[in-house]
Amino acid sequence: MKKNIFAISFVCLLLAGCSLKEDVTSSSMKETYYRTPQQIITGLNGCYTNIRNIYNNVKYFAVTETQSDIIMTNGTIASNTNSYFMFSPSKPEYGATMWQYGYQGVMRANAMAAAIQRAYDGKYITKEEMTPLMAEAVVLRSLFYYTLTSNFGDVPFYEDEVVGEKNDSIARLPRTSASYIRGKMMAELKEWVLDKPEGSLDWKPTNAGGNAQQYRCGAAVGLYLGGKMALWEEKWSDAIDFFGALEEIYGNGKGNPENALAKYPLSDLVFSNRQIAESIFEISNIAIPFGLTVNGTLASYCEPYRSTTAQDDDTEEEMEQASSDIYGAGSPNDKWPGVGIPELGADARTLTPFRPTERFYKELMPYNSTDLRRAKYDEEGNEIEGNAGYMAWGWVGYDPADDRTVTAPKFRFFGNLGISSSSVAKDKRPYLGNKFWCFGMHYTNDSNSPRVFRFAGALLSLAEAWYHKEDYDTALSYLNEVRRRAGLETLTEGSFQYSEQILAAIQDECARELFGEFQRKHDLVRWGIWYEYVKKYRGSEANVAENLRPCHEYYPIPDEQITYSGGALDNKEYNKYGL
């Protein structure tokens, strides 16, 4: 049986190959160790572990995407507690993981900021050496607080180094306004990144040149975080400043959106492409046979059922004994066979998959849409030019009975959808498309690189900010650049009867463009429409209808943490619903 050899020194990779040699868990040796730039870098590396621990888990996809209006699951209750809103203070589910690693990350970032300042004050490093290191610590701390406030709302806030005499007071901190925290982080990001202090982080794309192989959270990540937090706080001019800086790095210059995406093809957006040029923040995995393996498991929940792996409790041995590259088959006696897909291979383990909601596949990106993001192939088996494959009703492959030595592959609908033509495909729920698939996956070892922040998201954010400044022409120019790349018609003010419809168009385009990229729930909450949309578009699902409450827009603070705080923390919103 094949086995993966895990290279321990690389397990803490966040993106593109950064080797983490030291895991900083406290301020130990702070007086004697963190004195050179290289020593400080090893300390900063410890912060990246916690980012992976939160984001590189299929449950975080459930938190951000299946708790929304565009993606759902038909899985069992036991395995989908986060998707079905079965969390509470006493059963926080993935909330416990987000809390643990979020605050562990805050602690480490704070410790390194203090160590950097100490090294500079002690004249062990120069100002030129200190500035980019401190900026990186600020970006990392901002990312952790952004994640915490987006998922929990008001949370405890501190920037002190955790040392013995401060432990008790930090443990007993109450909730701090998320608005205050975001304001504090925005100010720090402005000082250390946006204002370009001399010698600070280079303004370059995340995956530019050699940076792609030794990735660090650079200026681009900090600028995106500053812009998103400005949107949360309705600081529209600040959002334009932060995202406008990203235009200078990724686009044609600030305020010039036309053709800004022309150099970033849609075909790059599939997660199997690593370190793409448009990426600002992604979680890179890697799998080298008999070598380095840093995996996620998302693809196992996004691919069509493999015909021999429908049971969630299959063992790896059972998998290898039942190899098959037939996906999406109906029942054994069904007249609708599956599709042989050599690219996906015969060794993948597929589990109950996430699927698009009716709102997404019927309204936002229907089967007959001209949207180039919709599917990879048309019914004649032609690859759609420039596409990204967000959904799949079928694939160019083989009938199970084909003699592949003499038969060419052609487009076939997946058998368990029970369709044979486009006339009925529009009414059948597709699978998620090859944007999410991992080709040649062994068992559940997904080596893809899911995207979290991309330049297209910055353009849509600029559209939103300019809309709120009532400059509708400019707002539409940013919206249209995203639509243009997707092959959709451009819009003018004359396309809308009311100005509010422009905002709705921007919000719908966010659903389409950023589909499955860890954004949707947070955006719906930020817009104040989360509960309304989930109830409207998911309320017919029994498990959602039974469990959904308005308080679920944020996760509760785990009861265990309430106890640790001595009662300083609370879950008043959950208490209102008896949870």
Side-chain angles (χ1 to χ4, degrees):
M1 183 186 301
K2 297 180 180 178
K3 292 185 179 293
N4 294 315
I5 301 173
F6 288 83
I8 300 301
S9 64
F10 285 81
V11 168
C12 298
L13 287 171
L14 167 64
L15 312 170
C18 176
S19 176
L20 306 183
K21 299 178 181 178
E22 174 129 336
D23 183 358
V24 180
T25 58
S26 73
S27 54
S28 60
M29 299 192 302
K30 64 180 184 295
E31 302 297 338
T32 59
Y33 184 68
Y34 297 115
R35 290 182 173 181
T36 70
Q38 189 56 47
Q39 288 172 345
I40 291 168
I41 287 171
T42 65
L44 288 169
N45 286 345
C47 300
Y48 289 82
T49 311
N50 298 91
I51 301 174
R52 284 194 62 84
N53 287 342
I54 296 171
Y55 281 83
N56 199 38
N57 189 310
V58 69
K59 291 181 181 179
Y60 196 64
F61 186 89
V63 169
T64 55
E65 296 297 316
T66 71
Q67 291 181 23
S68 78
D69 59 328
I70 58 175
I71 294 180
M72 59 170 289
T73 180
N74 287 320
T76 63
I77 293 177
S79 62
N80 288 277
T81 53
N82 292 281
S83 297
Y84 293 145
F85 307 102
M86 298 175 66
F87 47 88
S88 65
S90 61
K91 295 180 60 179
E93 301 301 329
Y94 201 61
T97 298
M98 294 188 290
W99 185 274
Q100 174 190 350
Y101 291 121
Y103 274 107
Q104 211 174 77
V106 167
M107 180 192 72
R108 292 177 179 178
N110 288 347
M112 292 317 303
I116 293 165
Q117 189 64 53
R118 197 160 39 243
Y120 176 64
D121 291 343
K123 302 188 186 304
Y124 296 109
I125 58 174
T126 66
K127 184 175 182 180
E128 290 73 21
E129 292 170 327
M130 179 274 290
T131 304
L133 295 170
M134 184 64 80
E136 183 178 350
V138 166
V139 172
L140 286 164
R141 176 162 57 200
S142 297
L143 178 56
F144 288 117
Y145 273 125
Y146 169 80
T147 303
L148 286 165
T149 54
S150 296
N151 288 298
F152 294 95
D154 299 343
V155 294
F157 176 73
Y158 74 99
E159 292 186 299
D160 295 332
E161 185 176 20
V162 178
V163 293
E165 63 270 21
K166 294 181 180 179
N167 284 352
D168 287 345
S169 60
I170 290 174
R172 286 167 173 73
L173 287 172
R175 288 182 185 258
T176 298
S177 163
S179 180
Y180 174 84
I181 296 171
R182 293 184 189 115
K184 195 80 164 59
M185 295 299 98
M186 287 165 57
E188 292 184 4
L189 290 168
K190 183 177 186 301
E191 176 185 358
W192 289 99
V193 182
L194 182 62
D195 288 347
K196 280 188 175 180
E198 185 176 354
S200 188
L201 298 169
D202 291 337
W203 279 31
K204 62 183 179 181
T206 292
N207 292 326
N211 196 50
Q213 296 306 317
Q214 288 297 320
Y215 178 82
R216 312 203 64 78
C217 270
V221 177
L223 293 168
Y224 203 104
L225 286 168
K228 286 294 283 190
M229 288 189 278
L231 292 181
W232 273 97
E233 295 307 305
E234 301 183 359
K235 304 289 186 183
W236 312 122
S237 294
D238 290 335
I240 290 168
D241 287 342
F242 278 109
F243 288 119
L246 286 169
E247 286 188 278
E248 296 183 31
I249 298 173
Y250 285 83
N252 304 320
K254 190 172 182 179
N256 186 16
E258 188 171 358
N259 296 319
L261 291 175
K263 58 185 174 182
Y264 305 117
L266 281 175
S267 55
D268 277 359
L269 302 188
V270 294
F271 290 174
S272 57
N273 290 331
R274 302 176 68 244
Q275 304 158 27
I276 65 171
E278 189 189 337
S279 179
I280 294 173
F281 172 40
E282 67 182 55
I283 308 296
S284 270
N285 295 305
I286 188 170
I288 299 174
F290 304 105
L292 172 62
T293 303
V294 182
N295 289 316
T297 57
L298 179 59
S300 290
Y301 293 87
C302 296
E303 296 175 0
Y305 282 115
R306 190 164 76 83
S307 61
T308 56
T309 62
Q311 299 302 315
D312 287 357
D313 59 353
D314 285 347
T315 66
E316 188 167 4
E317 289 78 8
E318 289 170 332
M319 282 284 301
E320 293 192 0
Q321 292 170 6
S323 293
S324 168
D325 66 2
I326 307 301
Y327 291 81
S331 62
N333 298 320
D334 200 315
K335 65 178 180 178
W336 306 113
V339 181
I341 307 178
E343 303 100 308
L344 286 179
D347 297 318
R349 181 185 183 188
T350 57
L351 305 172
T352 303
F354 299 126
R355 306 281 284 275
T357 62
E358 287 195 9
R359 166 166 165 73
F360 193 81
Y361 79 88
K362 287 187 176 181
E363 298 178 23
L364 295 174
M365 200 177 287
Y367 183 87
N368 58 359
S369 170
T370 60
D371 196 319
L372 296 177
R373 297 165 293 195
R374 181 185 64 80
K376 184 176 175 65
Y377 292 104
D378 63 22
E379 288 185 64
E380 284 70 47
N382 301 310
E383 187 167 354
I384 302 171
E385 183 179 357
N387 76 91
Y390 282 27
M391 293 182 292
W393 284 263
W395 194 256
V396 172
Y398 298 92
D399 184 283
D402 282 345
D403 179 351
R404 298 186 188 184
T405 63
V406 296
T407 304
K410 69 176 185 178
F411 181 86
R412 303 173 188 277
F413 288 103
F414 289 122
N416 56 10
L417 300 185
I419 56 178
S420 59
S421 69
S422 60
S423 62
V424 291
K426 60 182 173 52
D427 295 320
K428 294 292 184 177
R429 191 185 311 279
Y431 288 102
L432 298 184
N434 68 297
K435 176 180 181 179
F436 305 93
W437 298 358
C438 181
F439 296 112
M441 182 171 65
H442 176 73
Y443 200 50
T444 60
N445 295 332
D446 175 3
S447 57
N448 286 345
S449 297
R451 243 68 70 190
V452 183
F453 298 153
R454 283 193 289 114
F455 181 48
L459 296 180
L460 289 170
S461 296
L462 282 163
E464 181 181 346
W466 281 112
Y467 165 82
H468 285 291
K469 289 179 73 68
E470 299 184 1
D471 186 339
Y472 303 134
D473 280 341
T474 301
L476 288 169
S477 71
Y478 283 102
L479 173 62
N480 283 330
E481 177 56 19
V482 176
R483 291 176 61 85
R484 185 180 297 113
R485 182 174 66 167
L488 300 178
E489 63 177 354
T490 56
L491 304 172
T492 65
E493 280 196 63
S495 307
F496 304 94
Q497 187 174 2
Y498 305 105
S499 62
E500 292 82 2
Q501 293 172 331
I502 299 176
L503 178 60
I506 295 169
Q507 292 170 341
D508 285 350
E509 199 59 44
C510 287
R512 283 187 284 262
E513 176 65 26
L514 306 179
F515 184 63
E517 296 187 23
F518 306 91
Q519 301 292 311
R520 188 60 176 174
K521 181 187 180 183
H522 297 160
D523 281 342
L524 292 175
V525 172
R526 179 169 61 80
W527 294 324
I529 59 176
W530 174 80
Y531 182 70
E532 170 194 346
Y533 270 45
V534 175
K535 186 175 182 179
K536 179 178 179 179
Y537 297 111
R538 301 283 309 285
S540 61
E541 299 168 38
N543 292 323
V544 173
E546 181 179 353
N547 298 311
L548 179 66
R549 302 291 184 274
C551 60
H552 287 130
E553 68 176 351
Y554 293 114
Y555 268 73
I557 295 176
D559 270 350
E560 183 180 44
Q561 300 300 324
I562 305 290
T563 301
Y564 287 160
S565 76
L569 296 171
D570 64 74
N571 283 303
K572 292 180 180 178
E573 288 303 309
Y574 277 76
N575 297 156
K576 290 179 183 178
Y577 296 93
L579 297 175

